């Protein structure tokens, strides 16, 4: 049997796995120009869909960037910096310059100091082995910062290609659509500029006669909550508006449940404030530490929800890890879910997270 290849990106067509590269429904195979689902939606609905592929496949593909001269735009989710910042990115992209773009800034409290946030992100990038030319704070959905970023890209790219790199769920697709629309003034710029023949998983959008904006596949980071919950629960844990911090005065021996997805125990220290930054729709429940295990066993998926039943079917067991915090103004981060900020030091906490998704400590973001 002869294989069929997408007339858009050149990927081999398959009809069995909707989540994999090259999928198209069987009903589309009789068309003169067969397109994979991603290219079809790009052409007809002006949507750029993230393609999730295995790490090794991504590394093999992205290695081609090392052989070119271009500008790397690394997009991260400012609500999930730890889960979306790609450690050691220059090892993948070579000596090409990197601009860090923090998307979804509209989700953070308006009181946050933007200059301090930019400096904090520079430091986080450096810790991850990434030296950046500049840092930009944007909101693709609200269009904040897009025009300024577009001008900066033109000033530094030297008419070379611009590669958009990031993990899944950072808003990369919305960013590309918004950037092209603002640059050209055309809402359907991606559709009308689309050319066939791009390599697997890459979509090239002309910037001028010699250079392209290149959409690369989204990298899957399995150490995020978003990969373990149902679509209904996903809508509850991913914020869609400004986060309202929730403050709890806790004594040692008390526990906070974040839905039934994670939990934080206050083991030792003086009474103090725990400031919670999660989706406004995610319920937070306070209880005594001595009752926490029993509460979780009896009410997971009920009083402690999400998870709903769809998530519970594949939900991993929670594992606990203790953290001793000596310095003040520290965040404990639940990747892809949110974080808790502790102002005072000299305390011990214990985080319960799904197996394979460890919590992490960092210098306070807010």
């Amino acid at each position: 049997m002869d294989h069929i290849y997408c007339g858009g990106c050149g990927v081999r067509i398959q009809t069995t796995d909707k989540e994999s590269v090259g999928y198209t429904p069987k009903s589309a195979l009789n068309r003169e120009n067969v397109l994979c689902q991603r290219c079809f939606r790009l052409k007809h609905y002006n949507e750029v869909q993230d393609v999730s592929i295995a790490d090794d496949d991504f590394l093999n593909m992205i290695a081609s960037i090392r052989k070119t001269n271009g500008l790397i735009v690394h997009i991260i989710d400012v609500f999930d910096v730890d889960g979306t910042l790609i450690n050691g990115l220059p090892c993948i992209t070579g000596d090409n310059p990197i601009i860090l773009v923090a998307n979804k800034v509209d989700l953070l409290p308006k009181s946050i100091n933007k200059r301090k946030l930019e400096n904090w992100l520079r430091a986080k990038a450096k810790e991850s082995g990434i030296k950046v030319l500049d840092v930009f704070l944007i909101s693709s959905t609200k269009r904040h910062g897009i025009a300024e970023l577009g001008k900066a890209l033109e000033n530094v790219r030297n008419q070379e290609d611009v590669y958009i790199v990031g993990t899944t769920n950072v808003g990369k697709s919305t960013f590309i659509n918004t950037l092209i629309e603002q640059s050209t003034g055309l809402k359907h710029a991606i559709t009308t500029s689309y050319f066939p023949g791009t390599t697997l998983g890459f979509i090239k959008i002309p910037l001028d006669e010699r250079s392209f904006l290149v959409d690369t596949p989204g990298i899957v980071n399995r150490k995020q909550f978003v990969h373990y919950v149902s679509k209904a629960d996903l809508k509850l844990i991913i914020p869609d508006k400004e986060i309202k911090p929730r403050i709890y005065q806790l004594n040692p021996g008390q526990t906070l449940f974040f839905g039934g997805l994670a939990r934080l125990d206050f083991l030792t220290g003086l009474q103090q404030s725990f400031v919670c930054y999660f989706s406004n729709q995610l319920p937070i429940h306070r209880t005594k530490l001595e009752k926490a295990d029993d509460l979780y066993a009896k009410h997971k998926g009920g009083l402690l929800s999400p998870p709903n039943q769809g998530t519970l079917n594949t939900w991993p067991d929670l594992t606990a890890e203790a953290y001793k915090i000596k310095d003040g103004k520290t965040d404990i981060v639940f990747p892809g879910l949110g974080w808790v900020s502790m102002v005072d030091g000299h305390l011990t906490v214990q985080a319960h997270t799904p197996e394979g998704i460890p919590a992490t400590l960092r210098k306070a973001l807010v």
Side-chain angles (χ1 to χ4, degrees):
M1 176 182 174
D2 292 335
H3 297 303
I4 301 174
Y5 294 88
C6 175
C9 65
V11 67
R12 181 172 162 180
I13 292 292
Q14 54 90 12
T15 59
T16 55
D17 188 351
K18 291 184 179 181
E19 303 301 322
S20 296
V21 173
Y23 173 78
T24 197
K26 290 182 179 179
S27 58
L29 296 180
N30 294 326
R31 293 173 181 160
E32 183 177 350
N33 183 30
V34 179
L35 297 176
C36 70
Q37 181 172 257
R38 186 185 194 220
C39 291
F40 181 86
R41 298 197 68 82
L42 170 68
K43 181 176 181 180
H44 295 283
Y45 299 103
N46 196 32
E47 293 180 5
V48 181
Q49 294 180 316
D50 277 337
V51 172
S52 303
I53 59 176
D55 290 346
D56 289 344
D57 290 336
F58 175 81
L59 292 176
N60 291 334
M61 291 173 54
I62 214 73
S64 62
I65 297 178
R66 298 175 59 89
K67 303 174 184 178
T68 66
N69 293 319
L71 176 66
I72 310 300
V73 176
H74 180 17
I75 301 184
I76 63 172
D77 181 346
V78 75
F79 182 69
D80 185 20
V81 174
D82 300 76
T84 57
L85 194 62
I86 303 172
N87 290 322
L89 180 61
C91 295
I92 305 172
T93 57
D95 296 328
N96 289 306
I98 299 172
I99 286 180
L100 185 65
V101 176
N103 192 21
K104 305 183 185 179
V105 70
D106 56 301
L107 299 179
L108 298 180
K110 289 185 173 64
S111 59
I112 195 167
N113 185 304
K114 300 293 178 64
R115 181 58 60 185
K116 288 184 178 179
L117 175 57
E118 290 173 2
N119 291 335
W120 184 89
L121 288 169
R122 285 181 186 275
K124 285 292 291 184
K126 187 176 181 180
E127 289 175 13
S128 299
I130 307 172
K131 181 180 180 181
V132 298
L133 284 181
D134 210 343
V135 175
F136 288 87
L137 307 177
I138 69 163
S139 168
S140 295
T141 56
K142 304 292 185 181
R143 300 175 178 263
H144 296 161
I146 297 294
E148 180 184 1
L149 174 58
K151 292 177 181 177
L153 296 182
E154 283 301 312
N155 290 335
V156 300
R157 72 181 184 87
N158 296 321
Q159 294 186 308
E160 294 174 343
D161 293 339
V162 177
Y163 295 89
I164 310 299
V165 177
T167 63
T168 55
N169 300 309
V170 296
K172 189 159 59 75
S173 302
T174 304
F175 164 73
I176 292 173
N177 280 323
T178 304
L179 181 63
I180 291 297
E181 182 180 337
Q182 288 212 352
S183 300
T184 64
L186 298 175
K187 289 188 176 182
H188 300 289
I190 292 178
T191 304
T192 57
S193 299
Y194 183 64
F195 284 86
T198 54
T199 55
L200 170 63
F202 281 19
I203 289 182
K204 293 185 175 182
I205 303 153
L207 293 172
D208 52 41
E209 292 182 355
R210 53 169 289 184
S211 58
F212 296 86
L213 181 71
V214 184
D215 175 33
T216 67
I219 305 171
V220 175
N221 177 9
R222 292 294 175 187
K223 294 181 179 180
Q224 293 176 295
F225 279 78
V226 295
H227 298 295
Y228 296 86
V229 301
S230 66
K231 289 183 178 180
D233 283 345
L234 198 61
K235 293 179 180 179
L236 297 177
I237 71 172
I238 295 183
D240 59 1
K241 58 182 63 177
E242 180 186 343
I243 298 166
K244 303 299 182 185
R246 285 173 274 179
I247 303 174
Y248 293 86
Q249 293 291 333
L250 297 185
N251 293 307
Q254 290 187 298
T255 290
L256 292 177
F257 276 100
F258 310 108
L261 300 175
R263 130 186 182 197
L264 184 65
D265 303 331
F266 185 12
L267 301 182
T268 65
L270 299 175
Q271 182 192 58
Q272 59 187 281
S273 298
F274 286 68
V275 187
C276 302
Y277 296 87
F278 295 87
S279 166
N280 301 330
Q281 300 181 82
L282 181 67
I284 299 178
H285 188 87
R286 175 167 49 184
T287 190
K288 293 183 178 179
L289 176 57
E290 62 191 38
K291 296 181 179 180
D293 287 341
D294 188 53
L295 184 71
Y296 184 72
K298 290 182 178 179
H299 297 287
K300 177 178 61 175
L303 174 66
L304 301 178
S305 64
N308 65 7
Q309 191 57 49
T311 297
L312 283 174
N313 290 335
T314 57
W315 189 242
D317 293 331
L318 297 186
T319 59
E321 184 170 355
Y323 300 84
K324 183 169 287 188
I325 299 170
K326 297 180 180 180
D327 300 319
K329 298 182 179 179
T330 300
D331 292 342
I332 185 161
V333 181
F334 300 85
L337 189 65
W339 69 92
V340 179
S341 185
M342 294 153 285
V343 178
D344 298 322
H346 306 289
L347 70 153
T348 305
V349 297
Q350 182 169 250
H352 298 249
T353 59
E355 187 174 0
I357 314 179
T360 59
L361 296 181
R362 71 183 183 194
K363 183 178 179 180
L365 169 63
V366 180

